[in-house]
Every structure is written in C-alpha cells, then in structure tokens.
Amino acid sequence: MSRWESGLVEPDLETQYSMAAVLGVPATAVRTHLWPDWIPVGERLLVEGAWTQESCFVLFDSTAGDALLDRRGFVTLATGSAATLAREWQSPAGARDLFDCTAGDLVDSVAARLPLLRDLEDIHGGGRVRVPVATELRFATELLRGADLGSAEAKRLFRLCADLCRIAGWASTDTGFLAASERYFVLGMRAARAGGDRLSGANLLKCMSLLLSENGRPSDALSLARSAVEGTADGPARVRAMLTVRQARLHAVLGERRRCEELIRRAEDLMERPDDQPCPPWADYFDEAEHAAQVAACYLALGDHQTSDRWLETTTQLQPASRERDGITYRLWRAENATQLGDIELACYHLGKVAPLTYRGSSQRNRARFSAVRRLLHRHRSLTPVRALDEQVAVLLA
C-alpha cells in the first residue's frame, strides 16, 4: 500500500474494483477515471443523529472553510444514506435554542452581503464566488461561536448560513469540487433545520439530488427530490413548481416518461397560479425561462430531442443576457439536440457561439458538456463545420 501512496506502482484493476466497493464508489468511476483520481476525497458524510442547533454548530465548526480545501473528488454519501437524509430532514425538530444574547448588527452585515454573493454565482458561475462565500461562511460560523446572540438572531443566522451553504455548494459543484459541494449541501440542510427554514432545506435537498444524479445515483437522488416536494406542500406555488419539475427530471433520467410528464403538467399548473405568500429570494431565478429550461432538460434525458429543443427555444427568447453561465449551458443542450437530430451544421453553430465563453469561464460542468457534444460529433469530423469547430477549439486551447 505504501508503494501505491508513493506513486511507485499502481494497484491492478481488480484491486481497484475491490477498493471501490469498500469505499462505495461506482465501478464505472474506476473505468472512466485514472488512478488515483477516482478515490473519494474527505471523510464519509454522516447523516444520522439529532438535527439540533448544537449538532449543526459542531458541523459548522468542522466544515466551514475546510471544505474549500478539498481536492476534486467523488461524492462520498454512502449508498442508502440518501433515504436516511430525506427521512431525518422531515423528522420532528430537536432540542432548545443554543444562544441567548444579541449581535444583530453583525448578522445584518451577513444578510446585506448575501444577495451580492447569490447574484455573482447565478450570473458568473462558481469560480468567481467560491472563495468569498467560504470566507463569509467562516465569518458567520465565528458569530455562532459567540455566546451573545439571542435565540431569534441565532435562528436568523442559521437561515443565512443555509443560503451561504447552498451558494458554496453550487460554486463547488460548478468548479468540480464535488466532495466539498456535498459537505456544504448537507451542512446547509442542518442549518436550515436549525433556523426553522423548511423551504430553504427543501431547496438544498433539490441541490443535493442533482449532485447525486449527475454522479450516477439517480435512485438516491429521486428519494431526496421527492422528500423536498412532500415537505413543501403548503409553500409558495413557484417554489413547489421548481421542486416538482426537478423531481420530473429524475424520473426522466430513470426512463419513466409517464411519471415525468405527469409532474411536468403539475409544475406548469403551479407556474400559472399566483403566489399567495412571498417567495424566498433564492427562488427569484426560477422564472418562465428557467422553468422552460428544466422541462427541456427532462425531454433531453428522455431522448426526445425535438421537444427538448422547442422548450429551449422558449428559454432562449425569455432568458436575460446577464445569466451567462446558464445561457452557455442551454446553448450546449441545443447543440446536443441538433447533433442527435442529425443537423451537424446547427450543432457546430451552437458550439462555436459558446466556445470562447466556455473556455474563458470557470464552469467545469459546462466544459464537460462541451467536450461531450464534441465527442458526439467525432464521427462527422470530415465535414467542414466540424473541422472549423476543431480549429476554433485548438486556437482557444493554445
């Protein structure tokens, strides 16, 4: 084993499969990633135990800031733990409030900076915000460490920390730090629970479900997405629509078209209803454009590329230009649809439009999507549009 650690030799493939089984890593990861890149990073997440303010604070102290140091790695949530996470999140609340003094002006300062961090991540992607949001989370953790916060301010700070964890988790996901994003999302769920913010907790469940789905765990992801929907039955219509269409997307990944389309119709109905209660600020991004994009993602997963592209056309028409990262994502989805439908020239057009933005940006997810569509085009590499695209990419990489 010391020879493996020193890099002198690599374990043979059979040994790597055995190690992956022990570590809970899918065998596909061993086949698609070189040694030692498939090895998960960080300690395995524990989701059992009391969901109280005290236990949440302990996790803050061990996670805030440290997750930033994680190297890129696979998610480490044990198989079956997603169901436990969904169950524990919905269980009755735990112990007493922990803090009993006031520092409202400092909590106000955290609240005042939160919208800027949220907007930066939404607009520019994770690379621009990952470090500042981790710093902000560490500051909030230091506030929680003090003994002079009243219980009302403590709950408010826990709620703010939940949103910070969501931003940090998405930033980490976007830049490829998957082990860190997993830690942030689970911590955010606990913080939302400690702060009495059920909607924020459901949103974090949704985020965690997407992370698991994109890493080969769609069944576990579905249990989290379903729990998020069930836990917000009395929430604002827009939030319920957002969570419902995300659940639909997981049924699409699992090939369950009928159930997927049932949930799509339910989400459409919810989008048409006026909200009878205020939506949380983090739900502002889920407008008609984003709803159309998520429906498009459902049909893309189902392999219905024509329907997917019709929904993406709606997204293109409605989405503000300021959402650059998402605009790149949806253009890449359109390129995939065009490739699958045999329109190679259109696919190359879409890829050519976003190639400079993709390689200039920090979104590892979009770079991976770009590369995946280029692989689909490989069999058409003799065609002029594909050759031109390859030349464009070569210049960007140089």
Side-chain angles (χ1 to χ4, degrees):
M1 191 174 297
S2 63
R3 290 166 61 82
W4 300 342
E5 293 174 344
S6 65
L8 293 174
V9 296
E10 295 182 2
D12 59 46
L13 194 58
E14 182 179 357
T15 302
Q16 290 189 45
Y17 281 132
S18 299
M19 294 170 68
V22 171
L23 294 171
V25 174
T28 53
V30 179
R31 293 193 293 270
T32 56
H33 293 72
L34 297 176
W35 169 269
D37 291 346
W38 62 261
I39 297 176
V41 176
E43 298 178 358
R44 186 172 293 281
L45 285 169
L46 298 177
V47 299
E48 297 85 356
W51 282 51
T52 63
Q53 287 187 333
E54 290 91 339
S55 64
C56 182
F57 175 71
V58 171
L59 285 177
F60 266 125
D61 203 37
S62 63
T63 296
D66 292 342
L68 187 70
L69 303 177
D70 277 359
R71 295 174 60 82
R72 291 181 175 87
F74 291 96
V75 296
T76 61
L77 191 71
T79 301
S81 291
T84 302
L85 187 62
R87 183 178 64 253
E88 293 287 346
W89 175 74
Q90 291 204 51
S91 63
R96 60 180 177 83
D97 289 341
L98 181 60
F99 305 108
D100 57 1
C101 297
T102 58
D105 57 336
L106 294 177
V107 180
D108 287 344
S109 71
V110 177
R113 290 187 292 272
L114 187 56
L116 174 61
L117 293 170
R118 187 187 298 122
D119 289 345
L120 284 174
E121 207 283 325
D122 283 344
I123 294 171
H124 297 293
R128 304 287 176 86
V129 76
R130 188 167 181 262
V131 172
V133 76
T135 302
E136 193 72 13
L137 188 57
R138 171 58 69 182
F139 174 67
T141 301
E142 290 301 317
L143 290 182
L144 285 172
R145 188 188 301 278
D148 58 351
L149 287 177
S151 61
E153 290 299 320
K155 284 198 171 187
R156 181 184 176 211
L157 189 52
F158 273 121
R159 292 194 294 270
L160 293 171
C161 285
D163 208 0
L164 286 170
C165 284
R166 182 197 64 80
I167 299 169
W170 264 126
S172 297
T173 301
D174 194 43
T175 49
F177 291 87
L178 304 185
S181 63
E182 182 183 42
R183 291 172 66 187
Y184 282 130
F185 288 151
V186 172
L187 176 59
M189 285 179 231
R190 286 185 172 271
R193 178 62 172 277
D197 191 344
R198 198 162 191 80
L199 292 179
S200 183
N203 189 35
L204 282 149
L205 277 173
K206 176 211 73 178
C207 296
M208 186 71 175
S209 73
L210 184 59
L211 176 65
L212 290 179
S213 177
E214 291 185 350
N215 285 274
R217 306 270 292 276
S219 296
D220 285 339
L222 180 58
S223 70
L224 297 184
R226 186 183 292 117
S227 180
V229 171
E230 292 171 351
T232 55
D234 57 350
R238 189 195 304 181
V239 172
R240 291 160 60 199
M242 176 185 70
L243 299 176
T244 299
V245 78
R246 288 290 188 152
Q247 182 184 341
R249 187 168 165 182
L250 288 164
H251 286 286
V253 171
L254 292 167
E256 300 169 356
R257 181 169 187 136
R258 172 184 278 184
R259 181 58 176 153
C260 171
E261 292 188 326
E262 287 176 357
L263 292 170
I264 287 175
R265 288 191 292 271
R266 185 182 303 173
E268 290 174 349
D269 178 63
L270 288 167
M271 286 295 290
E272 293 173 358
R273 297 183 192 177
D275 278 321
D276 57 357
Q277 54 185 298
C279 270
W282 47 258
D284 287 345
Y285 88 100
F286 194 78
D287 51 16
E288 292 291 340
E290 181 62 19
H291 169 252
Q294 292 304 315
V295 175
C298 292
Y299 285 106
L300 180 62
L302 288 168
D304 187 342
H305 299 286
Q306 287 185 331
T307 304
S308 174
D309 204 60
R310 285 199 297 270
W311 281 97
L312 286 171
E313 177 65 29
T314 299
T315 298
T316 302
Q317 294 171 359
L318 297 177
Q319 189 179 47
S322 59
R323 297 181 190 171
E324 180 177 285
R325 178 189 56 184
D326 289 344
I328 295 170
T329 299
Y330 304 147
R331 180 80 74 164
L332 292 171
W333 288 354
R334 298 199 74 182
E336 180 178 347
N337 285 329
T339 303
Q340 297 290 3
L341 292 170
D343 194 336
I344 306 306
E345 184 174 356
L346 180 60
C348 291
Y349 168 77
H350 287 312
L351 289 179
K353 291 289 285 186
V354 297
L357 300 174
T358 302
Y359 284 97
R360 185 186 70 197
S362 62
S363 175
Q364 295 297 322
R365 294 169 78 218
N366 275 342
R367 290 191 185 187
R369 291 181 180 115
F370 189 97
S371 297
V373 181
R374 285 192 68 204
R375 283 194 294 273
L376 292 175
L377 289 169
H378 187 67
R379 64 180 181 273
H380 306 288
R381 59 188 180 277
S382 62
L383 299 180
T384 300
V386 180
R387 291 203 306 270
L389 176 67
D390 288 342
E391 292 172 2
Q392 181 186 11
V393 172
V395 170
L396 290 171
L397 291 175

